Amino acid sequence: MTELEKGPLGQRRGRGARERILNASKQLFREQGVNRTGVDQLCAVAQVSKRTAYQHFTNKDELIAEYLRQFDPDVMSGVFDREDLSPRERLLAAFEVPASAPLCPYIGAAVELHDPKHPASRYARDYKIAVAARLTDAAREAGAADPEQLGEQLALLLDGAAARTRVINRGSFTTAAAIAAVLVDNAIPASRR
């Protein structure tokens, strides 16, 4: 490979540009938010030209939506697809989030964008609806008297714990898990636990 075929760090040009752009977006959007991150900064961190960035993503809005899709494309499959856990245990496992977890990227993007029609806002909304649906399905499997209500309660509790963790810079998921256990046990008849 000649020097002309190499990019800024000696990497081959064009190879892996999309991944570098997505990795840069994960870093920068988490650190400073989607609004404060400019395309020039993203390109600099990803070591790509603006032309290359726009070849992979039509605009920044499309990149933000793809950034969100990368986080959890299968909607908490690490919790809800586990066959080694009972449905009740899966409901509670959703709250096993490290204390260092930052604000949920879906909440963060939706709050910053202020536009319910923005592609990332729509994706965040769809994701949150999908999480509630997975919680509802697990609640139904566990025998909850009102699985829809329990699913929504647990989804709200998860989002609240994520936001509170970010605002007070201290983990709230342990407290949320204790509240979730009470909600789950009150919703599921003792004979089904």
Side-chain angles (χ1 to χ4, degrees):
M1 180 182 323
T2 69
E3 287 301 312
L4 293 176
E5 293 173 306
K6 293 182 181 178
L9 291 179
Q11 297 173 341
R12 191 170 180 160
R13 292 180 189 263
R15 304 278 181 185
R18 180 180 174 80
E19 290 76 22
R20 289 195 312 275
I21 296 165
L22 285 169
N23 287 336
S25 72
K26 285 179 184 176
Q27 173 196 339
L28 295 172
F29 292 163
R30 279 241 177 190
E31 289 174 2
Q32 57 194 37
V34 295
N35 286 337
R36 289 184 49 215
T37 301
V39 174
D40 289 334
Q41 185 183 22
L42 274 164
C43 290
V45 171
Q47 298 180 339
V48 299
S49 68
K50 280 176 109 173
R51 180 175 180 247
T52 298
Y54 287 120
Q55 285 174 338
H56 290 281
F57 301 97
T58 308
N59 53 41
K60 184 179 171 189
D61 294 345
E62 183 182 313
L63 173 60
I64 296 168
E66 185 61 25
Y67 151 79
L68 293 178
R69 278 188 208 93
Q70 300 293 308
F71 277 98
D72 189 14
D74 298 320
V75 189
M76 297 179 72
S77 61
V79 171
F80 295 112
D81 294 344
R82 289 184 60 184
E83 294 184 15
D84 62 318
L85 299 178
S86 70
R88 180 189 181 279
E89 291 169 330
R90 287 194 301 268
L91 289 170
L92 298 178
F95 291 87
E96 293 173 5
V97 178
S100 61
L103 174 66
C104 169
Y106 307 97
I107 295 172
V111 167
E112 276 194 73
L113 294 170
H114 305 289
D115 178 4
K117 294 180 182 173
H118 188 285
S121 294
R122 287 195 310 261
Y123 185 79
R125 183 175 47 253
D126 292 346
Y127 177 83
K128 291 300 182 177
I129 290 168
V131 168
R134 298 228 51 194
L135 288 163
T136 298
D137 290 345
R140 187 173 291 108
E141 282 182 66
D146 188 346
E148 288 79 13
Q149 180 182 29
L150 181 58
E152 283 297 321
Q153 289 171 334
L154 295 177
L156 178 63
L157 190 56
L158 272 173
D159 289 341
R164 186 165 175 79
T165 295
R166 176 63 176 257
V167 171
I168 65 172
N169 201 23
R170 187 177 73 224
S172 297
F173 285 97
T174 303
T175 302
I179 295 167
V182 171
L183 289 171
V184 168
D185 288 342
N186 285 340
I188 300 170
S191 61
R192 296 288 310 256
R193 282 184 227 149

